[in-house]
């Protein structure tokens, strides 16, 4: 088979791959997106779709290292600005809703954390307001008696992940990108000064740039190119109740525990917060953990007592790729010119920002935010992907 | 019925054997095991044991018409006499992280953990429904619902009823409707089973089964109910409820051949195994090419890929009540033998009977069109605007577009993109059609036959989850 060429090959048709493909294709680059399965079916199709603008809780259940909220916030601010333009850019609805969110505290320590994060948010230009327990209940009467404080951020919101990735891909295709689903990458090799990517049954693609945005498989793809990155695939759980009339307009999160609750456009209540599935299954659906169902739903019912009256409809698990320091990874791999990676937690919130940033990094222009400390250099390890898993 | 508190210890019930599903297969297994001295519990979501086939008539119907299936009443009475803990009204909806403990909700909403050395999954079957324009109208039901209403409550589903679909079950349903006082205007069967070859094949070894079928045919003939073969329902219409139904040739569903005035229509294409619980327990599943369904991989004794987990009855593959009972008894005999008891000759005898009944089932199936072939024919003729998923109001064109444009022919992806199967029924009604639409989008190549099994199997009150979380007994974790 004769080789094809592209200006960039994007590996992974999740929300990051789709956003990167859109920004590259719109700028006139010839882009081919490949995915091992159907587009947007893994982390990007199973995420809750929260837009986290105020500081997130710093630990998922089971997470060892807290993330650095102060470093996160300027990135969240930049992502928030870009979400405003997404529907116009893509000429599609992604059910974007900026109805604001509360982050709640139940203990004195958590309350202190809220106050500390409020100061960082001010510095990052994110408007938040600190409320005491009664103030929070006055603003959101659905909150229960254990809530002792909350921060309100009008920018928090939601987009439908089942619309967002397809909308990015469709817009990328309109700008000339090619999408090759069900084409698992079999080889990524150096070829002259560029790369040769072999995926599915197609002819190999010669390209100067490879964007590895394969989510939980990011490390596995990098390993094909001989690059060892310390990324750990993790599967986390989501829970959805039966539909109910519009009841909760805002996103509700917990500062000290893994909990996020919101009502989606269809009317169902979505409860998440990063509780672990029973295990990560790379070849199918990760099985859910009943203990996580019980734990997460108990928190939700404690913070929002009306949840007690509902019925749980379904639970599922989706993968994400965690870095050892819980911070995102984005940048070119040192010693592998043209090989870019992007991933890590909160990828959905960051997607519009990382899409634009990846285009700049691929073009060699200055990215919209400083990401020099988020590069993959800190993840390069002699440990293989299989061992890390 | 709620289990007394001496049965439950802190919300946990532990027995030698747990049977999930109190239909013919589950009851037969439970009776044999309890008679041998094992402690047995049966959990069933219905308020009384019997399942669909041995569903108990209401007291008023029992007084007026007697028991239509007295053997079911006798089997239930025997199970109770043997001291089996009968957890009726208990919905088993999930599996703990140890992969063995089952979660159930009691009728009062209380949470129950169920544990046993041997778990027998006897969850039965769903009716195989297929959408058509107008199937969401009141008055359109499944044959099983009409049968339930007629046999258990003595009430016909309508005054002028058309029964349609495929399979031998349509005949007793039509007879029950006649008995309940309805006018049955006809039975539309998608295939051509009722020909002289019926006698030639099935009568050879199973005259009793044939007599049963012939009895129904004679009853319908006496009432001058026509049986139209090679016909399928392709539409229903009406303002507030169904008033007319359209039939077409199975060979060409896009061309109508007749429209009939009705006030009820019952449409079903047989049954599909109810496999969610088996799948949640981690049992290996295979796709059945003839039915287009998922079926647990079991051996002759009902053993699955998971040690100590058995699947019997219709949940293991559709075969009818006699095969279901035989499979239940064979699994029970195998469990007894594995525990060092039981009777070798009993196993040999039951295995032979199960094989013979299995052969008869295969002969019977061969008379009717294969569900997978029907799936292809019906799906290809399904108009774009037909509502396929009634819970989420998703049309055939929505599913087709999702399957083609975004899902790349992946069933679960098509569910995500279209929302078909995401509602309270979790795809029980539309699953077969959605799988067919996705397969058509894939150019006919077979993929996953069913949506993934997800906890909870049915919507479960959050209160139940909170109670389970508070109980936190030892040994629940993986």
């Amino acid at each position: 088979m004769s080789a094809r060429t592209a200006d960039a090959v994007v590996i992974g048709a999740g929300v990051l791959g789709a956003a990167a493909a859109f920004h590259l294709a719109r700028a006139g680059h010839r882009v081919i997106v490949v995915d091992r399965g159907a587009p947007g079916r893994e982390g990007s199709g199973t995420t809750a779709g929260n837009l986290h603008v105020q500081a997130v809780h710093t630990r998922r259940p089971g997470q060892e290292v807290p993330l650095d909220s102060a470093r996160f916030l300027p990135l969240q601010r930049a992502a928030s600005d870009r979400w405003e333009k997404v529907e116009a850019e893509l000429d599609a609805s992604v059910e974007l809703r900026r109805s604001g969110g509360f982050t709640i505290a139940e203990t004195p320590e958590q309350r202190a954390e809220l106050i500390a994060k409020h100061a960082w948010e001010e510095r990052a230009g994110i408007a938040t307001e600190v409320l005491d327990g009664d103030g929070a209940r006055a603003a959101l009467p659905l909150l229960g008696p254990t809530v002792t404080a909350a921060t309100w951020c009008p920018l928090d919101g939601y987009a439908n992940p089942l619309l967002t990735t397809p909308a990015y891909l469709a817009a990328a295709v309109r700008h000339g990108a090619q999408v090759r689903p069900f084409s698992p990458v079999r080889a990524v090799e150096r070829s002259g000064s560029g790369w040769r990517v072999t995926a599915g049954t197609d002819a190999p693609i010669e390209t100067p740039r490879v964007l590895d945005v394969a989510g939980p498989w990011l490390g596995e793809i990098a390993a094909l190119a001989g690059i060892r990155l310390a990324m750990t695939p993790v599967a986390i759980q989501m829970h959805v109740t039966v539909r109910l009339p519009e009841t909760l307009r805002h996103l509700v999160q917990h500062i000290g525990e893994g909990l996020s609750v919101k009502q989606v456009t269809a009317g169902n209540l979505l409860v998440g917060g990063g509780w672990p599935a029973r295990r990560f299954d790379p070849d199918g659906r990760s099985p859910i953990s009943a203990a996580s169902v019980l734990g997460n739903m108990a928190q939700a019912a404690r913070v929002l007592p009306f949840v007690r009256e509902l019925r749980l409809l379904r639970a599922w698990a989706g993968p994400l790729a965690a870095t050892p320091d819980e911070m995102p990874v984005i940048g070119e791999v040192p010693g592998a010119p043209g090989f870019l990676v992007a991933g890590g937690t909160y990828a959905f919130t960051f997607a519009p920002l990382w899409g634009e940033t990846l285009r700049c990094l691929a073009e060699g222009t200055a990215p919209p935010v400083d990401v020099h400390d988020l590069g993959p250099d800190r993840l390069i390890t002699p440990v293989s992907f299989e061992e890390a898993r | 019925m709620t289990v007394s508190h001496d049965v439950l210890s802190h919300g946990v019930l532990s027995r030698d054997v747990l049977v999930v599903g109190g239909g013919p297969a589950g009851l037969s297994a439970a009776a044999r095991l309890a008679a041998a001295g094992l402690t047995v519990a049966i959990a069933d979501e219905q308020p009384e044991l019997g399942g669909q086939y041995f569903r108990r008539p209401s007291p008023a119907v029992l007084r007026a018409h007697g028991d239509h299936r007295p053997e079911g009443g006798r089997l239930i009475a025997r199970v109770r006499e043997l001291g089996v803990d009968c957890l009726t009204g208990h919905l088993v909806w999930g599996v703990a992280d140890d992969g063995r403990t089952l979660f159930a909700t009691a009728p009062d909403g209380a949470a129950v953990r169920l544990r046993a050395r041997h778990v027998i999954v006897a969850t039965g079957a769903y009716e195989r429904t297929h959408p058509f324009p107008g199937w969401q109208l009141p008055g359109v039901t499944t044959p099983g619902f009409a049968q339930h209403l007629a046999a258990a409550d003595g009430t016909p589903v309508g005054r002028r009823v058309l029964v349609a679909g495929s399979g031998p079950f349509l005949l007793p349903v039509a007879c029950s409707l006649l008995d309940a006082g309805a006018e049955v205007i006809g039975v539309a069967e998608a295939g051509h089973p009722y020909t002289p070859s019926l006698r030639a094949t099935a009568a050879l070894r199973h005259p009793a089964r044939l007599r049963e079928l012939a009895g129904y045919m004679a009853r319908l003939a006496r009432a001058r109910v026509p049986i139209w073969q090679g016909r399928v329902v392709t539409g229903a219409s009406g303002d507030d409820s169904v008033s007319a139904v359209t039939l077409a040739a199975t060979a060409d569903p896009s061309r109508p051949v007749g429209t009939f005035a009705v006030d009820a229509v019952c449409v079903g294409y047989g049954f599909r195994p109810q496999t969610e619980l088996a799948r949640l327990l981690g049992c290996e599943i295979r796709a059945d090419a003839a039915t287009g369904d998922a079926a647990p991989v079991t051996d002759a004794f009902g053993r699955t890929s998971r040690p100590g987990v058995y699947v019997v009855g219709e949940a293991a593959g559709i075969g009818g009540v006699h095969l279901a009972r035989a499979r239940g008894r064979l699994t029970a005999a195998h469990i007894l033998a594995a525990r060092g008891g039981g009777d070798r000759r009993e196993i040999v005898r039951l295995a032979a009977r199960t094989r013979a009944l299995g052969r008869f089932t295969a002969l019977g199936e061969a008379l009717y069109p294969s569900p997978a072939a029907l799936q292809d024919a019906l799906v290809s003729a399904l108009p774009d605007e037909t509502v396929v998923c009634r819970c989420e109001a998703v049309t055939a064109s929505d599913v087709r577009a999702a399957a083609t444009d975004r899902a790349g022919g992946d069933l679960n992806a098509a569910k995500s993109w279209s929302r078909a199967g995401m509602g309270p029924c979790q795809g029980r009604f539309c699953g077969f059609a959605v799988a067919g639409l996705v397969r058509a989008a894939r150019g006919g190549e077979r993929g996953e036959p069913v949506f993934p099994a997800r906890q909870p199997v049915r919507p479960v009150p959050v209160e139940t989850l909170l109670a389970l979380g508070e109980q936190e007994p030892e040994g629940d974790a993986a």
Side-chain angles (χ1 to χ4, degrees):
Chain A
M1 279 184 286
S2 62
R4 298 174 297 157
T5 61
D7 296 332
V9 172
V10 175
I11 302 176
V15 69
L16 289 186
F22 164 71
H23 282 282
L24 285 164
R26 191 175 60 167
H29 303 287
R30 292 175 306 126
V31 181
I32 300 176
V33 185
V34 296
D35 196 287
R36 65 199 290 279
R41 278 304 304 140
E42 298 292 343
S44 304
T46 51
T47 176
N50 297 333
L51 304 184
H52 295 283
V53 181
Q54 66 174 309
V56 291
H57 72 93
T58 56
R59 284 176 198 266
R60 279 191 309 313
Q63 176 183 328
E64 284 172 14
V65 184
L67 61 80
D68 180 354
S69 273
R71 176 67 183 96
F72 238 61
L73 280 162
L75 304 171
Q76 287 168 279
R77 168 68 213 235
S80 171
D81 293 345
R82 279 157 185 80
W83 271 106
E84 257 343 284
K85 300 182 293 188
V86 162
E87 291 189 320
E89 277 180 333
L90 303 183
D91 191 23
S93 166
V94 296
E95 291 178 3
L96 178 71
R97 281 201 320 208
R98 306 298 287 260
S99 40
F102 294 91
T103 298
I104 66 101
E106 294 180 290
T107 66
E109 296 76 31
Q110 290 165 0
R111 188 190 155 89
E113 242 184 294
L114 281 185
I115 291 163
K117 89 172 181 62
H118 172 67
W120 300 330
E121 285 156 353
E122 298 240 289
R123 218 174 305 150
I126 297 167
T128 55
E129 185 184 346
V130 183
L131 306 164
D132 65 10
D134 288 338
R137 274 180 293 276
L140 183 64
L142 297 169
L143 290 172
T146 61
V147 173
T148 55
T151 46
W152 160 252
C153 174
L155 293 174
D156 280 347
Y158 163 76
N160 186 340
L162 300 181
L163 298 177
T164 304
T165 301
Y168 264 122
L169 280 178
V173 167
R174 284 200 298 275
H175 287 290
Q178 291 179 44
V179 182
R180 306 291 298 164
F182 299 97
S183 297
V185 171
R186 294 186 283 128
V188 182
E189 304 148 287
R190 275 314 255 171
S191 174
S193 62
W195 298 88
R196 179 187 298 120
V197 178
T198 312
T201 52
D202 292 340
I205 311 163
E206 298 285 343
T207 180
R209 290 171 209 90
V210 173
L211 275 63
D212 177 2
V213 280
W217 293 275
L218 189 152
E220 207 167 334
I221 296 296
L224 288 177
I227 301 158
R228 289 178 166 188
L229 295 177
M231 300 283 292
T232 314
V234 183
I236 61 168
Q237 258 172 240
M238 295 299 314
H239 311 94
V240 63
T241 72
V242 294
R243 290 182 186 213
L244 60 154
E246 185 169 314
T247 304
L248 177 66
R249 294 195 60 242
H250 312 293
L251 176 65
V252 175
Q253 304 174 76
H254 200 300
I255 189 64
E257 301 179 13
L259 174 68
S260 75
V261 185
K262 68 166 172 296
Q263 187 171 12
V264 298
T265 310
N268 313 79
L269 209 67
L270 213 51
V271 178
W275 285 67
R278 217 192 298 174
R279 61 171 191 277
F280 167 71
D281 176 358
D283 295 318
R285 300 283 128 190
S286 301
I288 64 149
S289 157
S292 288
V293 177
L294 304 183
N296 205 176
M297 293 308 293
Q299 285 178 318
R302 190 182 72 228
V303 172
L304 294 161
F306 80 97
V307 172
R308 278 181 167 274
E309 312 301 322
L310 305 178
R311 287 182 303 152
L312 179 70
L313 176 59
R314 190 169 53 240
W316 68 88
L320 60 84
T323 55
D325 56 10
E326 296 295 332
M327 297 304 284
V329 58
I330 185 162
E332 190 176 63
V333 175
F339 195 97
L340 284 80
V341 301
T345 53
Y346 297 97
F348 188 77
T349 293
F350 288 132
L353 177 64
W354 287 166
E356 188 181 328
T357 302
L358 283 168
R359 174 185 59 80
C360 297
L361 294 173
E363 289 175 341
T365 56
V369 285
D370 178 13
V371 291
H372 78 274
D373 56 332
L374 299 176
D377 46 315
R378 73 190 200 277
L379 305 178
I380 289 180
T381 156
V383 178
S384 75
F385 174 75
E386 289 302 325
E387 287 157 351
R389 191 158 78 194
Chain B
M1 187 190 106
T2 305
V3 174
S4 60
H5 286 283
D6 57 320
V7 173
L8 290 176
S9 166
H10 305 291
V12 181
L13 182 136
S14 294
R15 292 292 179 268
D16 294 328
V17 182
L18 170 69
V19 180
V20 183
L27 288 167
S28 300
R32 181 67 190 93
L33 290 161
L38 272 62
T39 59
V40 181
I42 295 189
D44 193 289
E45 64 183 306
Q46 298 295 326
E48 176 55 288
L49 294 176
Q52 299 302 332
Y53 189 81
F54 286 151
R55 183 182 288 277
R56 302 288 72 219
S58 68
V61 171
L62 210 50
R63 275 193 303 276
H65 302 288
D67 192 339
H68 68 302
R69 281 174 184 150
E71 70 274 30
R74 286 195 295 272
L75 183 55
I76 292 167
R78 176 158 166 75
V79 160
R80 290 195 183 278
E81 280 160 22
L82 286 164
V84 172
D85 295 303
C86 298
L87 283 71
T88 52
H90 280 65
L91 170 67
V92 177
W93 52 264
V95 179
D97 292 351
D98 61 6
R100 295 212 53 102
T101 302
L102 298 180
F103 295 142
T105 302
D108 61 358
V112 184
R113 282 176 164 83
L114 304 169
R115 296 209 179 102
R117 283 179 55 86
H118 309 280
V119 175
I120 300 179
V121 177
T123 42
Y126 298 124
E127 290 191 89
R128 187 192 307 282
T129 47
H130 206 281
F132 49 86
W135 77 312
Q136 68 273 37
L137 283 169
V140 177
T141 75
T142 63
F145 178 77
Q147 174 75 351
H148 167 198
L149 210 61
D153 294 330
T155 308
V157 71
R159 289 187 311 274
R160 269 179 69 80
V161 188
L162 188 140
V163 179
S166 187
F169 183 57
L170 300 181
L171 303 182
V173 172
C175 291
S176 296
L177 284 165
L178 291 173
D179 293 343
E183 179 194 350
V184 178
I185 64 160
V187 175
E189 159 62 52
H192 293 89
Y194 307 120
T195 58
S197 66
L198 173 65
R199 279 178 214 108
T201 52
L204 297 176
R205 273 179 305 259
H206 300 275
R209 296 292 89 72
L210 184 69
R211 270 203 301 280
E212 201 177 313
L213 212 55
Y216 294 132
M217 305 268 289
R219 172 83 179 90
L220 294 175
R222 279 200 303 281
R224 301 190 187 287
V225 175
I227 297 180
W228 299 303
Q229 302 196 64
R231 294 287 181 269
V232 290
V233 168
T234 54
S237 57
D239 293 331
D240 300 329
S241 67
V242 62
S243 59
V245 58
T246 301
L247 294 182
T250 311
D252 184 7
S254 57
R255 197 168 53 83
V257 294
T259 296
F260 301 86
V262 293
D263 63 357
V265 55
C266 313
V267 192
Y269 293 88
F271 300 88
R272 329 175 64 188
Q274 202 174 132
T275 59
E276 288 89 345
L277 190 62
R279 287 187 280 153
L280 288 178
L281 282 162
C283 300
E284 192 188 326
I285 294 289
R286 69 182 164 81
D288 185 319
T291 63
D293 290 327
V297 177
T298 56
D299 68 4
F301 305 119
R303 284 186 294 191
T304 66
S305 62
R306 292 268 294 129
V309 178
Y310 308 79
V311 184
V312 300
E314 304 291 74
I318 305 304
V321 64
H322 304 287
L323 182 58
R325 292 191 65 173
R327 279 173 173 169
R329 281 197 293 266
L330 181 55
T331 292
H334 171 78
I335 289 173
L336 294 174
R339 293 174 69 100
D343 177 351
R344 227 14 254 166
R345 282 165 305 180
E346 183 188 11
I347 292 188
V348 171
R349 184 172 52 76
L350 285 169
R353 177 164 167 72
T354 307
R355 278 196 302 275
L357 286 165
R359 279 195 298 272
F360 176 70
T361 299
L363 285 172
E365 277 172 1
L367 296 175
Y368 297 90
S370 89
L374 271 177
Q375 184 184 36
D376 290 345
L378 292 170
V379 153
S380 64
L382 197 59
D384 262 346
E385 65 280 7
T386 313
V387 173
V388 170
C389 167
R390 297 184 293 194
C391 297
E392 297 284 323
V394 182
T395 64
S397 83
D398 295 337
V399 176
R400 285 180 173 129
T404 310
D405 303 344
R406 293 175 176 178
D410 181 85
L411 176 61
N412 198 35
K415 171 184 167 181
S416 284
W417 302 136
S418 70
R419 293 189 69 83
M422 282 200 188
C425 95
Q426 296 280 286
R428 281 205 296 286
F429 287 99
C430 68
F432 191 64
V434 174
L437 287 164
V438 172
R439 197 153 75 81
R442 218 177 16 242
E445 183 201 336
R446 296 214 166 269
E448 285 293 308
V450 288
F451 294 129
R454 292 265 163 78
Q455 302 203 47
V457 170
R458 307 261 196 285
V460 62
V462 172
E463 290 276 10
T464 301
L465 305 175
L466 301 180
L468 279 173
E470 279 157 20
Q471 288 164 2
E472 285 183 306
E474 295 294 313
D476 215 31

